[in-house]
Amino acid sequence: MISKIKKIAVFTSGGDSPGMNAAIRSVVRTCAYLQIECIGVYRGYEGLVEGDFKPLGARSVNNIINKGGTILKSARSDAFRTKEGRKRAYDNLVTNTIDAFVVIGGDGSFTGAMIFNKEYNFPVMGIPGTIDNDIFGTTYTLGFDTALNTAVEVIDKIRDTASSHNRLFFVEVMGRDVGHIALNAGVGAGAEEILIPEENLGLERLLESLKRSKKSGKSSSIVIVAEGDKTGKNVFELKEYVEEHLPIYDVRVSVLGHMQRGGSPSCFDRVLASRMGVKAVEALLEGKSNFMVGIQDNKIILTPIEQAIKGHTKIDKELIRVSDIMST
Ligand code: F6P
């Protein structure tokens, strides 16, 4: 393949997610396979502005496929939001004879790439890495599957103690804007109710459901709450609300927090990252730019970055129905 692209930079940006390292590895190894150079940029756009670069060869990414976090570190960059910052980034890329970059991150990271591409006509490619699964143009983002497995494993443990004491637990999972983690982990862990940002199921309904489950003889209950759920109450406020209205319940709260972002990626995320990395590099070499790599119907596809940013993922209504039926 004869291409103008001879040197590609890769970096991770925004909140980290399991599978980012596997994606870095894939980009680096694909470059090595196609005999072009690869440069790692540390700390996302911040490193681009500061010129924090390091050449990466096939052996630089040994033993990272199984590691959580990102070896290249991640950051949110204020400097890159300014014209001067982006000019510095461009100068650094030119000085280092870099022809294109691959950014692994979420929609904020893609917005940065799109603006940069518009200003400098610089070839860019995105790989979706976020546990939230909230990027349009891909059924799965890197880290979502691992985060679900982490959440379910922990909620299973909470269930043990909840049922030993006949308690009700409110478990908060990540997702300030979307309920994909809450809904999937909730169904997977057998939650009584799932509260998400996309739909307000109402506090009345929650009380009714809890009354019903007490009556039907359930020994314990787990309610999964996404960070940004629509009831407007956080898990601690929900605890107080239920204690006030249903004093029969002994309520506890557990906030899973950033543990959901860490840990060794699942096999699914490793395979997805490997496939996406190959596609990102190959697409750049084919002269494509300003796309995000995604997966749909188990096929690796490209979506224009602009669409990926502007589009919204939809909550799976069928899963809501399944959850309702399962909590009978
Ligand atoms: O976007 C991923 C995410 O994990 C969200 O679910 C969560 O609300 C947020 O990041 C937390 O961000 P930070 O690590 O900056 O507190």
Side-chain angles (χ1 to χ4, degrees), residues 84-98:
E84 302 72 53
R86 291 194 293 276
K87 170 81 172 68
R88 279 175 63 195
Y90 180 71
D91 290 345
N92 286 331
L93 287 165
V94 172
T95 310
N96 286 275
T97 61
I98 294 167

Side-chain angles (χ1 to χ4, degrees), residues 76 130-132 174-176 227 258 261:
R76 294 193 165 102
T130 164
I131 63 165
D132 290 342
M174 276 191 164
R176 55 187 160 196
E227 273 173 305
H258 284 76
R261 287 233 299 249

Side-chain angles (χ1 to χ4, degrees), residues 77-129:
S77 171
D78 289 331
F80 195 76
R81 288 179 211 279
T82 66
K83 262 194 174 299
E84 302 72 53
R86 291 194 293 276
K87 170 81 172 68
R88 279 175 63 195
Y90 180 71
D91 290 345
N92 286 331
L93 287 165
V94 172
T95 310
N96 286 275
T97 61
I98 294 167
D99 304 309
F101 72 64
V102 176
V103 52
I104 307 165
D107 51 3
S109 313
F110 294 159
T111 304
M114 191 183 72
I115 294 170
F116 192 71
N117 170 269
K118 272 198 185 132
E119 278 176 2
Y120 294 101
N121 193 24
F122 191 86
V124 301
M125 196 61 63
I127 292 181

